[in-house]
Amino acid sequence: MTSSIEAPTQINDHQVRTDAAGKPLAIRHDGRIWLVDPATDSRHWCGRDAWWDTRRTAAVGSGDLVSIEFWRVQVRLDSTSALRTATLRREPLSPQWLLDNVSDADETTEEG
């Protein structure tokens, strides 16, 4: 079962807690706290924004406007609940993480 978020840029009901290195530790979503399972491997990668489609402009020296950071992590509500897979995304120049989707752990696909 996949619970996709249609327009993650519109969703503000989640927060991501990270460690000092930026790795997600927990996600607050839909009034619940999902803990990243430390016994599982998290995937981290960067993609590129199609800036030519978005028509965004910025002043010279604004920084990296095209790198999108992703994390795919295994989360659970408590030690007895089933694992779920969450994919997080952070857009260029955005201070907030966006929740792309949450799915059952066995429904993940390879990316990156």
Side-chain angles (χ1 to χ4, degrees):
M1 174 178 169
T2 301
S3 171
S4 294
I5 296 177
E6 306 251 340
T9 55
Q10 303 295 316
I11 304 297
N12 292 320
D13 69 339
H14 72 275
Q15 297 172 323
V16 177
R17 177 176 291 160
T18 61
D19 66 12
K23 181 179 178 182
L25 299 173
I27 302 167
R28 180 186 299 269
H29 172 65
D30 201 23
R32 303 169 103 179
I33 296 176
W34 297 82
L35 300 175
V36 174
D37 188 330
T40 61
D41 290 327
S42 298
R43 296 200 54 224
H44 182 230
W45 71 96
C46 290
R48 304 296 267 178
D49 187 23
W51 57 267
W52 53 88
D53 288 337
T54 62
R55 310 275 191 251
R56 284 189 291 205
T57 60
V60 173
S62 295
D64 184 353
L65 301 176
V66 297
S67 294
I68 301 172
E69 185 177 6
F70 292 91
W71 279 95
R72 178 166 291 143
V73 295
Q74 301 292 305
V75 296
R76 62 174 78 223
L77 290 171
D78 58 45
S79 61
T80 61
S81 67
L83 278 174
R84 307 286 308 268
T85 300
T87 304
L88 302 166
R89 177 181 86 227
R90 185 163 45 194
E91 298 286 335
L93 304 178
S94 175
Q96 296 182 46
W97 284 98
L98 304 173
L99 183 59
D100 271 353
N101 65 56
V102 177
S103 62
D104 290 343
D106 60 352
E107 292 183 14
T108 62
T109 59
E110 289 297 315
E111 287 185 31

